[in-house]
């Protein structure tokens, strides 16, 4: 072979092997720029992202949450680190990932501001930084020409941006800036987001919408404006949003009449405008909307009759018109709404009785008719038992002074929540209750029910809330009431997955405050028999009710002593035994109740020394007053010679007092705050 040939072979083979080398290295390593960017990004996080390091494997394409494209240069195209418990900030270096299409850092503990460079990633399609602790402003201009999904919800972003959000990012379909601290006007620039289908700005402090916004967003399907500070008349031009499926404007300060534009919102399924100041009557187009499945207008000042036409509203499933000034014969107009599952009309001036035709409403699961001037409880129950799936039934503040029906054949086998309180009903606790074997919540308080508490309460497997207070009940407490399984079995917690009640449950606390609960699991386990004429002892077996939070036996004629076993009520927060005829000593063991925050034994015939330990140091004088032979603690000092006789008592008390005291106070406080927080706080009952 000639040397030129040899030379050629040499050149070819070198080129080939160089190519191979390049190919091999491309197989094992990601793009060096991306690698550098990822390392920079990771250095700002604590702890460093699991499994990410440069020293060993340099193929960042295999790292947790990283995806590369399959081009030769193996560029990083997606970074998905949602819910990875990441702490720290986002460094500028992330902008080095210039081929990035998806960035998902949601559900972490990231904080600080977002680097401005992030909003210049021209290939970015999805940006999800929701549910973190980010703060700062969103830049005035976004340069994200490929973006269609932006979610910055649940952070601390603020400012009133007038930004040109969409001028350089024209493809945004989904924009979620909910639950931040934005204020002022919803960004003007949103008007130019003509591809927008999904807009959530709820849970901020916005006061106004840009003018003409509804003329421009033709494709909008979901609009959430709730829980802001919007006010004034609601804009008629909403009628231009002909693609709208979901509209929520609740919890604002909108006023005036609802616009009669629902005829042009032919796809609207859910409309919520609760807790505003709307007045006037319901627009005809709304009462004849064939697409609506769920309509919530509760807590406004709407008035007039409600002539729903269910021949046209065929899809209506849920109707909440509570706390308004509606009057007349609403109920008759609902008789053909066979698909209704949830109906809430409480706090209106309905007058009359539930019509026979309600037997047609077979799908009903939730019915709230409290405070609607209804009469004829007997016929009401007779009709409603035809709704076999009825699970929540609230009828309080009606039927004044009627007799509670005692027909044992009533059948409510799906009933979980029953409230017929504040009705001044006569009669006794009805035998048909026993058939409600799914019962969890029973409120028959503030009636005139006489007779004894039936012995069969132990048969309820799920009952954890019993309020029979303010009646005229006599006789002893049946032991069955201390055998409620749902108050004994500690791990029989009410599942947090249970569907929301649909209507709030009310409870009046001992100090008159009204609590309301949205979910059954947030209701505190309670036995309230106060203000009756119950005699006999407080059974030691009450101590078995380990899940109980509230035990009120005050204002009765109970005798005997306070059982030591009550110390078994380890989660008890409220214990009221006041105004009875209890005698003997307050058991020292009660000092072990570390969650107890309200306690009263006032006006009994107790004697001896008040326990010194635990929460007992926090209870006021009024918890003990009216017991002339009681002494110690925050009450009157014990006579000196008396204390020496009772030495063991003092000693034990002292050993409990100490570290546990602080723990008890702290724990009691945390629990109370948690319960209040979970339950959605307490609002006073609306007075009409
Ligand atoms: C780097 O990665 C390798 C393998 O992925 C791992 O065995 C090693 O512990 C990592 N080093 C650090 C410091 O995280
Ligand atoms: C981001 O990640 C979270 C958690 O993995 C996930 O629930 C969410 O749907 C993701 N976001 C997007 C837009 O895909
Ligand atoms: C935005 O993120 C929040 C919290 O992660 C989530 O609940 C919400 O559904 C997301 N919004 C959209 C439009 O996907
Ligand atoms: C919307 O876009 C038009 C033209 O595309 C522009 O003139 C206008 O200033 C933009 N409006 C906003 C608020 O950015
Ligand atoms: C309303 O928004 C505030 C924050 O702006 C939030 O704390 C509150 O929980 C929201 N309420 C509801 C009912 O969503
Ligand atoms: C009813 O609406 C008013 C505002 O109109 C609000 O302040 C109040 O909290 C709402 N009440 C309930 C129980 O939602
Ligand atoms: C509704 O309220 C406005 C004030 O917000 C009042 O001017 C108007 O007369 C009211 N309309 C009706 C029908 O009550
Ligand atoms: C209810 O709707 C049906 C069908 O659209 C119509 O024929 C009927 O007249 C309406 N009834 C009332 C009272 O508006
Ligand atoms: C109930 O809803 C179904 C579809 O969801 C519909 O086909 C039917 O006509 C409705 N029935 C009544 C009586 O409204
Ligand atoms: C409803 O209330 C209005 C005004 O308060 C009254 O004029 C009307 O007669 C009432 N209608 C019925 C059926 O009670
Ligand atoms: C009652 O509930 C059951 C179970 O959820 C359901 O299958 C059934 O269709 C409901 N009955 C009616 C009349 O809606
Ligand atoms: C209650 O309603 C039933 C059935 O409609 C009726 O027969 C009965 O007379 C009513 N009772 C009273 C006290 O109005």
């Amino acid at each position: 072979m000639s040397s030129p040939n040899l030379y050629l072979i040499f050149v070819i083979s070198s080129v080939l092997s160089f190519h191979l080398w390049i190919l091999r290295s491309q197989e094992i390593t990601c793009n060096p720029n991306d690698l550098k960017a990822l390392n920079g990004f990771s250095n700002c996080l604590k702890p460093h992202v699991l499994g990410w390091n440069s020293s060993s494997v340099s193929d960042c394409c295999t790292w947790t949450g990283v995806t590369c494209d399959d081009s030769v240069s193996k560029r990083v195209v997606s970074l998905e680190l949602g819910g990875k418990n990441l702490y720290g900030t986002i460094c500028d270096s992330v902008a080095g990932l210039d081929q990035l299409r998806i960035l998902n850092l949601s559900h972490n503990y990231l904080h600080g501001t977002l680097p401005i460079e992030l909003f210049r990633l021209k290939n970015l399609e999805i940006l999800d930084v929701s549910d973190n602790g980010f703060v700062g402003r969103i830049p005035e201009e976004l340069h994200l020409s490929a973006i269609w999904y932006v979610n910055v919800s649940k952070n601390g972003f603020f400012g009133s941006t007038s930004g040109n959000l969409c001028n350089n990012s024209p493809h945004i379909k989904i924009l979620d800036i909910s639950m931040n601290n934005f204020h002022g006007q919803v960004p003007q620039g949103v008007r130019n987001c003509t591809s927008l289908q999904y807009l959530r700005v709820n849970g901020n402090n916005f006061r106004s919408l840009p003018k003409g916004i509804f003329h421009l967003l033709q494709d909008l399907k979901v609009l959430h404006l709730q829980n802001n500070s919007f006010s004034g008349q609601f804009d008629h031009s909403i009628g231009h949003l002909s693609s709208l499926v979901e509209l929520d404007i609740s919890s604002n300060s909108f006023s005036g009449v609802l616009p009669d534009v629902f005829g042009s919102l032919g796809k609207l399924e859910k409309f919520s405008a609760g807790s505003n100041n709307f007045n006037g009557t319901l627009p005809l187009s709304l009462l004849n909307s064939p697409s609506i499945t769920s309509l919530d207008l509760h807590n406004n000042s709407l008035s007039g009759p409600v002539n729903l036409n269910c021949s046209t509203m065929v899809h209506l499933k849920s109707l909440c018109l509570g706390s308004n000034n509606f009057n007349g014969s609403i109920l008759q107009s609902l008789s053909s709404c066979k698909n209704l599952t949830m109906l809430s009309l409480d706090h209106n001036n309905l007058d009359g009785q539930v019509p026979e035709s309600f037997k047609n409403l077979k799908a009903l699961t939730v019915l709230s008719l409290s405070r609607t001037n209804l009469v004829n409880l007997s016929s009401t129950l007779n009709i409603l038992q035809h709704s076999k799936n009825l699970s929540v039934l609230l009828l309080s503040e009606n039927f004044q002074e009627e007799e509670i029906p005692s027909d044992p054949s009533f059948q409510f086998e799906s009933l979980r929540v029953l409230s017929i309180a504040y009705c001044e009903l006569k009669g006794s606790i009805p035998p048909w209750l026993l058939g409600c074997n799914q019962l969890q919540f029973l409120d028959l308080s503030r009636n005139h029910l006489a007779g004894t508490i039936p012995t069969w309460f132990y048969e309820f497997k799920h009952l954890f809330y019993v309020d029979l207070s303010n009646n005229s009940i006599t006789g002893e407490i049946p032991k069955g009431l201390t055998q409620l399984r749902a108050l004994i079995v500690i791990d029989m917690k009410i599942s947090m997955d249970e569907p929301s009640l649909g209507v709030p449950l009310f409870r009046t606390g001992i100090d008159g405050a009204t609590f309301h609960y949205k979910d059954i699991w947030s209701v505190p386990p309670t036995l309230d028999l106060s203000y009756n004429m119950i005699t006999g002892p407080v059974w030691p077996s009450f101590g078995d009710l380990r899940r109980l939070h509230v035990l009120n036996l005050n204002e009765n004629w109970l005798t005997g002593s306070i059982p030591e076993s009550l110390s078994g009520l380890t989660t008890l927060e409220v214990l009221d035994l006041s105004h009875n005829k209890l005698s003997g000593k307050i058991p020292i063991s009660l000092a072990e109740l570390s969650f107890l925050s309200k306690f009263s034994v006032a006006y009994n015939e107790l004697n001896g020394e008040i326990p010194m330990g635990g929460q007992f140091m926090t209870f006021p004088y009024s918890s003990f007053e009216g017991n002339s032979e009681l002494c110690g603690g925050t009450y009157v000092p014990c006579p000196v010679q008396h204390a020496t006789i009772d030495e063991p008592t003092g000693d034990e008390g002292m050993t409990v007092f100490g570290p546990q005291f602080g723990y008890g106070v702290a724990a009691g406080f945390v629990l109370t705050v948690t319960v209040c927080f979970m339950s959605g706080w307490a609002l006073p009952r609306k007075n009409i």
Side-chain angles (χ1 to χ4, degrees):
M1 267 194 231
S2 66
S3 58
N5 275 351
L6 269 175
Y7 179 73
L8 196 65
I9 287 167
F10 173 75
V11 167
I12 287 172
S13 60
S14 330
V15 167
L16 269 177
S17 60
F18 181 66
H19 252 270
L20 270 175
W21 181 79
I22 284 184
L23 277 175
R24 275 220 350 263
S25 59
Q26 274 164 355
E27 260 161 38
I28 57 158
T29 178
C30 60
N31 182 284
N33 290 337
D34 289 347
L35 183 60
K36 191 166 157 233
L38 286 175
N39 279 323
F41 170 76
S42 153
N43 283 338
C44 293
L45 301 177
K46 281 180 242 167
H48 297 323
V49 180
L50 198 74
W52 283 25
N53 61 51
S54 52
S55 54
S56 55
V57 188
S58 55
D59 187 2
C60 64
C61 297
T62 62
W63 291 358
T64 310
V66 177
T67 311
C68 297
D69 63 7
D70 38 20
S71 72
V72 193
S73 46
K74 294 196 102 183
R75 301 302 308 270
V76 171
V77 292
S78 108
L79 188 53
E80 289 168 283
L81 296 168
K84 290 274 185 282
N85 293 316
L86 303 178
Y87 288 84
T89 57
I90 307 298
C91 288
D92 293 356
S93 57
V94 73
L97 299 169
D98 57 15
Q99 295 300 307
L100 205 59
R101 288 181 214 148
I102 300 176
L103 179 61
N104 187 348
L105 302 172
S106 64
H107 307 291
N108 283 300
Y109 305 96
L110 303 169
H111 61 269
T113 55
L114 294 177
I116 187 95
E117 287 79 9
L118 196 62
F119 299 96
R120 299 181 184 280
L121 291 170
K122 61 183 188 316
N123 293 303
L124 198 63
E125 293 167 20
I126 294 177
L127 174 63
D128 188 349
V129 295
S130 65
D131 194 10
N132 279 289
F134 292 120
V135 293
R137 292 166 186 270
I138 301 292
E140 295 281 296
E141 304 237 352
L142 306 185
H143 295 272
L144 301 165
S145 49
I147 199 99
W148 62 268
Y149 180 100
V150 178
N151 194 344
V152 302
S153 166
K154 294 196 191 173
N155 281 289
F157 291 111
F158 52 79
S160 74
T161 162
S162 60
N164 301 324
L165 286 173
C166 292
N167 287 7
N168 300 303
S169 315
H171 304 299
I172 298 184
K173 274 196 180 114
I174 296 177
L175 178 61
D176 190 340
I177 61 172
S178 64
M179 295 190 254
N180 281 288
N181 297 319
F182 293 113
H183 68 270
Q185 196 181 57
V186 170
Q188 277 282 349
V190 166
R191 301 197 315 167
N192 279 4
C193 300
T194 48
S195 306
L196 212 54
Q197 294 183 355
Y198 201 119
L199 176 61
R200 292 184 62 177
V201 305
N202 54 289
N204 284 290
N205 201 13
F206 285 122
R207 295 182 169 275
S208 61
L209 287 162
K211 274 221 166 61
I213 180 175
F214 300 139
H215 288 283
L216 298 161
L217 306 181
Q218 295 295 325
D219 293 334
L220 209 58
K221 293 191 168 111
V222 173
L223 179 58
H224 286 181
L225 303 177
Q226 73 271 24
N227 201 8
N228 276 293
S229 305
F230 295 112
S231 59
Q233 194 77 30
F234 193 63
D235 194 347
H236 277 69
S237 63
I238 189 80
H240 288 275
L241 299 181
S242 55
S243 309
L244 211 55
V245 175
E246 227 179 285
L247 175 61
D248 193 340
I249 60 172
S250 59
S251 300
N252 280 294
S253 301
F254 287 115
S255 57
V257 293
L258 285 166
D260 194 359
V261 294
F262 294 87
S264 35
L265 300 175
K267 294 185 174 153
L268 191 64
E269 291 174 11
K270 290 188 178 169
F271 178 46
S272 299
S275 294
N276 280 288
N277 302 319
F278 286 114
N279 64 6
T281 55
L282 293 187
L284 269 181
S285 59
L286 186 56
L287 295 173
N288 286 282
S289 164
S291 55
I292 285 189
T293 61
S294 163
L295 178 59
D296 183 354
L297 303 173
H298 84 274
N299 193 21
N300 280 287
S301 303
L302 297 162
S303 57
V306 179
N307 292 314
L308 275 185
N309 188 348
C310 275
S311 316
T312 40
M313 296 194 86
V314 283
H315 292 114
L316 192 63
K317 285 206 165 89
S318 168
L319 179 64
C320 296
L321 302 178
S323 297
N324 278 291
N325 302 320
F326 292 118
N327 66 2
S329 52
I330 302 175
L331 298 173
Q332 277 73 14
S333 83
L334 297 173
S335 306
S336 58
C337 304
K338 290 187 184 141
N339 281 343
L340 263 190
T341 58
M342 143 101 210
L343 174 61
S344 156
L345 298 171
D346 55 283
H347 297 82
N348 282 294
N349 306 316
L350 302 189
D351 261 329
Q353 65 185 73
V354 171
E356 282 288 315
S357 51
F358 254 55
K359 289 180 180 168
N360 295 334
L361 306 185
K362 300 249 190 288
L364 266 191
T365 61
V366 176
L367 178 62
S368 169
L369 295 173
S370 297
R371 197 155 174 177
T372 50
N373 298 325
L374 284 183
V375 294
N376 210 335
L377 177 60
S378 172
S379 138
T380 301
L381 294 175
N382 207 350
I383 291 162
L384 294 178
Q385 60 175 338
H386 289 83
S387 306
K388 292 287 176 209
N389 280 357
L390 197 59
S391 150
V392 176
L393 178 57
L394 309 181
L395 296 173
S396 297
E397 298 184 72
N398 291 297
F399 316 111
Q400 294 306 316
E401 298 187 36
E402 290 183 21
E403 186 93 14
I404 196 165
S406 57
D407 181 351
S409 67
F410 282 137
Q411 286 283 319
F412 290 98
E413 61 245 34
S414 303
L415 209 57
R416 295 196 294 139
V417 174
L418 176 64
S419 180
I420 320 182
Y422 287 88
C423 297
E424 302 189 34
L425 295 176
K426 291 176 279 196
S428 55
I429 296 171
W432 52 266
L433 274 183
L434 185 54
C436 309
N437 48 33
Q438 299 299 315
L439 207 60
Q440 295 175 315
F441 179 106
L442 174 64
D443 184 358
L444 296 176
S445 64
R446 302 200 187 236
N447 286 300
H448 297 313
L449 301 181
T452 57
I453 302 173
T455 53
W456 35 254
F457 266 83
Y458 66 92
E459 294 210 22
F460 291 111
K461 297 278 182 286
H462 307 285
L463 192 62
F464 73 91
Y465 184 102
V466 182
D467 188 352
L468 302 174
S469 64
N470 286 279
N471 277 290
S472 305
I473 296 167
T474 53
E476 293 191 347
I477 301 171
K479 284 213 172 123
L481 210 51
T482 69
Q483 291 160 6
L484 290 171
R485 234 188 109 217
L487 288 175
I488 294 174
V489 182
I490 211 89
D491 51 346
M492 222 184 86
K493 293 218 171 68
I494 309 301
S495 164
M496 304 231 312
D497 303 332
E498 288 206 40
S500 160
L501 289 164
V503 289
L505 288 178
F506 289 95
R507 184 174 79 85
T508 308
I510 41 175
D511 42 11
T514 315
F515 300 82
H516 78 176
Y517 306 96
K518 286 192 196 126
D519 306 282
I520 189 79
W521 53 262
S522 61
V523 176
T526 296
L527 271 186
D528 193 339
L529 307 179
S530 60
Y531 294 91
N532 278 292
M533 294 178 281
I534 298 170
T535 51
V538 178
W539 301 112
S541 50
F542 268 109
D544 297 337
L545 304 177
R546 286 176 293 175
R547 283 198 58 218
L548 202 59
H549 286 208
V550 179
L551 178 58
N552 290 340
L553 302 176
N554 48 305
E555 304 275 356
N556 277 293
W557 296 348
L558 296 170
T559 50
S561 59
I562 302 172
E564 249 181 77
S565 60
L566 291 192
S567 62
L569 300 169
T570 46
T571 54
L572 202 66
E573 291 174 71
V574 178
L575 176 60
D576 195 343
L577 302 171
S578 65
H579 295 275
N580 278 292
K581 294 176 178 171
L582 298 171
S583 53
K585 293 186 168 53
I586 302 175
I588 298 166
S589 61
L590 295 192
E592 292 162 24
L593 296 175
S594 51
F595 290 118
L596 203 59
S597 59
K598 279 188 178 150
F599 173 81
S600 182
V601 290
Y603 298 97
N604 277 288
E605 292 157 16
L606 298 168
N607 61 41
E609 204 168 329
I610 294 166
M612 290 276 284
Q615 296 292 88
F616 271 81
M617 303 313 288
T618 66
F619 302 138
Y621 179 89
S622 58
S623 294
F624 307 103
E625 67 186 326
N627 290 281
S628 54
E629 288 178 54
L630 209 54
C631 71
T634 52
Y635 197 49
V636 293
C638 291
V640 181
Q641 65 273 44
H642 191 246
T644 47
I645 299 164
D646 259 7
E647 203 169 2
T649 310
D651 264 6
E652 259 187 75
M654 286 311 287
T655 49
V656 180
F657 177 57
Q660 272 202 356
F661 169 63
Y663 164 73
V665 172
F669 176 75
V670 169
L671 191 76
T672 307
V673 168
T674 312
V675 167
C676 295
F677 179 74
M678 288 196 312
S679 52
W681 178 247
L683 290 157
R685 194 177 281 261
K686 184 171 170 177
N687 285 313
I688 294 179

